[in-house]
Amino acid sequence: MTENTDISTDKTPKPVLNFIQEIIENDIRNNKNDARVHTRFPPEPNGYLHIGHAKSICLNFGLANKYNGKCNLRFDDTNPVKEDVEYVDSIMEDVRWLGFDWEDRLFYASDYFEQIYEFACQLIQKGKAYICDLSAEEISNLRGTTTQAGTESPYRNRTIEESLDLFHRMRAGEFAEGSHVLRAKIDMASPNMHMRDPILYRIIHTEHHRTGNKWCIYPMYDFAHGQSDSLERITHSICTLEFEVHRPLYDWFIRELEIYAPQQIEFARLNLSYTVMSKRKLLELVKNNYVNGWDDPRMPTICGLRRAGYTPESIRNFAETIGVARRDNIIDVALLEHCIREDLNKKAARVMTVMNPLKVIITNYPENQTEELDAINNPEDASMGTRKVPFSREIYIEREDFMEDAPKKYFRLAPGKEVRLRYAYYITCNDVIKDPETNEIIELHCTLDPLTKGGSSPDGRKVQGTIHWVSIQHAQQIQVNLYERLFTKENPEDLAEGEDFKINLNSNSLNVIKAYAEPYLGQNSVSGSKFQFERIGYFCADYNSTNHSPIFNRTVTLKDSWSKMQKS
Ligand code: ATP
Ligand code: MG
């Protein structure tokens, strides 16, 4: 009976930890860094954030929240040529929108330029860094290959005094770009290419978005990132896998400078099917007008997803669901779409809209009569209430909800068949009116059964189909942007020699149409309002300075290919 008193037999299931949480909990148990947890999200302000960054944001801020720690926002702004305040502002907006708060901990690597310059001087003084006068091309040629050692620079053994003097003069602006660089003196034969006397500083005569013209030498990302983490006393410096091979270099800097050592932990970056994620490629799409800006709803950027109708909750939930991995993989974009469907299913008001109208005349309904029928705003959430939908003699239904020669299994409208008009009446189709010249169907004549008002029959008679509709005289015409995925190929970057990823762009990724909506939609949409257009998909109202009535962007269709895959 003794085993029952052993607390280790406690049956309550422990939540499963991911490998980063395991490392952190272990560190807390060992009282490492006084059990502090301090992370950071360190974007370079050279583009807009994308869904991959969202994963990193959720991870870093999420860990800080979970372990009662802190998370900094730090801009790694070491390259003035590519960076801009436009990006800084958008990044702050996106992090906040995702629901995270850096409180008073907003930092910039450029705030540390003086300190990082000091670090560089220290390395020179220790004989661990030198000024090299080789050109970028010469440096690259002498680097060797993964199988062959590199060749030492002829400037490698220049005196400490000479290097220090040259470094001061580089800072003073005496030299042209490319004429000198500062390099670490490590090991040109190291099997790790990053250890082969990497460049620490280069001359760039470009104004910086924060430091203006104060500097004309800038630290390389590799020489700024780790030291910035150290200065901020970051405990767990979480980054993507490609930085694993940089870790020995970061550790070397920390050791040589004898400063506080954060622990770097690498995880697999998020890749999504049917998507490209690199900022360079996204910038190319924007610059060459393949899309309408960084916030085009087809873009995987956070601002693009927002305009498409994605919610912060759905993105956080997606990040949580995919978790963190140690090996590269590709996540199915259908999972992201599944996450937004789940969220909008709970939140979005339903409305009836007709995308491709076919006129229906209810011949036994009086010409001047209208009535208001009750409709449920969201069957998932009774608190969202009901609304009135106007009904009259002439309505639109979807063209694809009618077939003249319908097969047996077709449950929508056909000659002689009865269907339910959602929230209205049962109607039966009696006549099909065609254009005598083109033979195109132009209208249907139907009759309704007045006893079926509200959509059910007192005699228990069943109909198999329910279709949506709008009253023509009450309908509001709206512009709808039907977005599809931006790429046709699951992996747009899987290319043959000489091919460009843009060949995989979907030429049909945007269809603009005019649709008809019940009045409730126009009366209840502000910018960003989300709706389910019944039987069609989720849509988000998008106003901007040029359109005064909203455009509705399609977020996703209703067909959930992710759920289907999980069930089969
Ligand atoms: P890209 O390669 O898309 O241009 P980047 O890595 O250069 O992105 P940074 O601004 O340096 O962009 O990234 C800021 C943070 O976001 C880094 O910690 C980086 O590791 C993380 N991050 C960037 N892309 C992804 C991704 N696809 N998945 C997860 N984290 C990412
Ligand atoms: Mg980067």
Side-chain angles (χ1 to χ4, degrees):
M1 296 312 274
T2 48
E3 67 263 32
N4 283 345
T5 58
D6 182 348
I7 52 160
S8 68
T9 59
D10 178 6
K11 291 286 188 309
T12 45
K14 285 220 178 78
V16 182
L17 300 179
N18 66 45
F19 77 97
I20 298 179
Q21 293 165 340
E22 264 172 23
I23 293 172
I24 292 179
E25 296 204 0
N26 196 41
D27 289 344
I28 292 173
R29 267 195 302 278
N30 293 325
N31 207 34
K32 186 174 171 185
N33 299 310
D34 302 320
R36 269 186 321 120
V37 174
H38 200 151
T39 57
R40 84 287 174 264
F41 172 64
E44 185 183 355
N46 62 352
Y48 282 66
L49 297 182
H50 52 57
I51 181 80
H53 294 113
K55 172 177 173 170
S56 176
I57 293 167
C58 293
L59 182 60
N60 280 294
F61 281 93
L63 288 167
N65 287 345
K66 181 174 166 80
Y67 295 108
N68 236 333
K70 292 179 176 148
C71 181
N72 296 356
L73 174 62
R74 183 181 68 242
F75 289 100
D76 272 336
D77 52 352
T78 52
N79 184 355
V81 179
K82 292 189 176 159
E83 296 159 4
D84 200 278
V85 275
E86 175 195 349
Y87 301 132
V88 170
D89 294 343
S90 76
I91 289 169
M92 291 200 273
E93 182 184 355
D94 289 347
V95 174
R96 272 198 209 100
W97 179 77
L98 277 174
F100 298 105
D101 185 1
W102 55 88
E103 296 169 331
D104 57 351
R105 295 177 311 278
L106 171 64
F107 301 110
Y108 295 83
S110 56
D111 292 344
Y112 310 134
F113 278 173
E114 196 65 54
Q115 175 68 67
I116 295 170
Y117 179 81
E118 269 313 304
F119 286 147
C121 292
Q122 281 174 37
L123 289 183
I124 299 172
Q125 266 149 351
K126 280 182 83 173
K128 298 286 182 177
Y130 61 97
I131 300 296
C132 180
D133 304 354
L134 295 176
S135 69
E137 201 188 341
E138 287 165 329
I139 291 176
S140 156
N141 289 340
L142 293 178
R143 244 178 126 211
T145 64
T146 44
T147 51
Q148 245 186 342
T151 308
E152 293 188 352
S153 160
Y155 302 98
R156 197 173 201 261
N157 294 316
R158 111 187 308 165
T159 65
I160 289 173
E161 291 68 32
E162 192 184 358
S163 277
L164 259 187
D165 176 57
L166 286 169
F167 192 46
H168 293 321
R169 288 166 59 197
M170 277 165 67
R171 176 179 183 171
E174 288 186 26
F175 304 117
E177 283 187 19
S179 61
H180 301 75
V181 290
L182 178 71
R183 298 177 70 178
K185 193 191 276 190
I186 310 180
D187 179 5
M188 288 305 291
S190 170
N192 183 338
M193 301 291 280
H194 297 283
M195 301 300 273
R196 294 186 184 175
D197 290 12
I199 295 172
L200 308 184
Y201 262 90
R202 72 280 204 216
I203 300 169
I204 304 177
H205 289 285
T206 295
E207 191 168 296
H208 186 280
H209 65 102
R210 282 179 60 83
T211 57
N213 291 307
K214 180 166 182 213
W215 295 90
C216 61
I217 55 171
Y218 292 93
M220 297 298 290
Y221 177 86
D222 274 355
F223 193 59
H225 183 75
Q227 282 86 301
S228 302
D229 279 347
S230 174
L231 291 168
E232 291 174 17
R233 304 195 84 71
I234 298 304
T235 56
H236 301 86
S237 169
I238 297 162
C239 62
T240 41
L241 280 179
E242 68 272 22
F243 289 101
E244 193 169 3
V245 285
H246 297 239
R247 175 146 46 93
L249 177 62
Y250 296 168
D251 290 346
W252 187 88
F253 292 141
I254 297 282
R255 218 170 37 244
E256 293 297 336
L257 295 168
E258 298 174 53
I259 54 177
Y260 166 82
Q263 177 183 4
Q264 176 169 308
I265 305 169
E266 303 89 9
F267 71 101
R269 63 196 296 118
L270 169 65
N271 299 302
L272 265 189
S273 61
Y274 299 96
T275 310
V276 302
M277 207 83 96
S278 118
K279 277 189 281 197
R280 187 178 57 74
K281 289 182 180 151
L282 297 177
L283 180 64
E284 198 179 327
L285 295 178
V286 173
K287 284 237 161 105
N288 299 313
N289 300 313
Y290 289 99
V291 293
N292 302 314
W294 283 98
D295 65 349
D296 185 300
R298 290 164 291 186
M299 290 281 273
T301 49
I302 297 178
C303 53
L305 292 166
R306 176 163 64 230
R307 261 188 81 202
Y310 276 77
T311 58
E313 293 78 8
S314 68
I315 294 175
R316 292 200 304 262
N317 187 32
F318 170 70
E320 179 75 22
T321 308
I322 57 178
V324 286
R326 273 189 236 249
R327 289 290 150 248
D328 278 321
N329 55 42
I330 298 183
I331 302 287
D332 192 334
V333 72
L335 175 59
L336 177 64
E337 294 164 351
H338 168 77
C339 289
I340 187 61
R341 280 190 195 98
E342 288 239 294
D343 197 34
L344 293 181
N345 182 39
K346 288 181 279 178
K347 293 177 181 162
R350 274 57 170 168
V351 290
M352 292 197 284
T353 60
V354 172
M355 302 279 130
N356 184 13
L358 174 60
K359 185 173 174 180
V360 173
I361 299 179
I362 315 283
T363 52
N364 63 341
Y365 197 84
E367 259 176 54
N368 295 319
Q369 187 172 323
T370 62
E371 63 188 309
E372 306 251 285
L373 303 168
D374 289 311
I376 295 167
N377 287 335
N378 187 341
E380 303 288 321
D381 182 357
S383 76
M384 287 176 70
T386 60
R387 66 182 185 284
K388 297 286 185 192
V389 186
F391 183 78
S392 64
R393 179 181 159 92
E394 298 192 355
I395 61 173
Y396 285 137
I397 65 167
E398 296 289 350
R399 215 158 250 283
E400 63 177 46
D401 282 337
F402 175 78
M403 256 182 109
E404 199 172 13
D405 300 303
K408 246 199 153 70
K409 284 267 159 97
Y410 188 79
F411 297 134
R412 291 168 272 169
L413 197 57
K417 272 189 80 173
E418 188 173 46
V419 294
R420 177 191 293 108
L421 292 178
R422 183 113 161 118
Y423 299 123
Y425 294 95
Y426 289 9
I427 58 166
T428 304
C429 177
N430 308 309
D431 269 313
V432 181
I433 315 298
K434 294 182 180 170
D435 182 317
E437 271 167 28
T438 62
N439 215 29
E440 191 199 2
I441 299 171
I442 46 175
E443 65 187 45
L444 304 178
H445 290 179
C446 299
T447 45
L448 64 70
D449 175 354
L451 296 177
T452 59
K453 182 171 173 178
S456 62
S457 166
D459 63 10
R461 181 172 93 247
K462 290 269 186 294
V463 287
Q464 279 173 300
T466 300
I467 64 176
H468 62 271
W469 53 275
V470 295
S471 160
I472 295 176
Q473 63 164 294
H474 301 97
Q476 180 199 10
Q477 217 189 43
I478 55 171
Q479 180 183 322
V480 172
N481 290 345
L482 298 174
Y483 289 108
E484 305 264 348
R485 290 172 183 166
L486 192 52
F487 292 93
T488 51
K489 221 168 147 185
E490 190 167 343
N491 180 359
E493 286 162 296
D494 177 18
L495 299 164
E497 183 83 22
E499 278 180 353
D500 184 279
F501 77 100
K502 298 194 291 302
I503 63 163
N504 293 320
L505 278 166
N506 177 4
S507 58
N508 204 23
S509 59
L510 170 58
N511 275 302
V512 177
I513 63 163
K514 290 266 177 271
Y516 297 87
E518 59 171 289
Y520 180 86
L521 181 70
Q523 291 154 8
N524 289 279
S525 57
V526 295
S527 186
S529 298
K530 293 158 181 71
F531 296 94
Q532 185 194 91
F533 292 1
E534 291 216 32
R535 300 176 63 226
I536 296 169
Y538 291 102
F539 289 79
C540 180
D542 186 14
Y543 293 80
N544 60 35
S545 49
T546 53
N547 64 303
H548 298 293
S549 54
I551 290 170
F552 291 89
N553 293 331
R554 179 162 72 194
T555 317
V556 276
T557 60
L558 295 180
K559 214 186 307 154
D560 193 334
S561 54
W562 178 261
S563 287
K564 235 194 190 146
M565 254 170 348
Q566 304 310 298
K567 280 177 197 140
S568 63

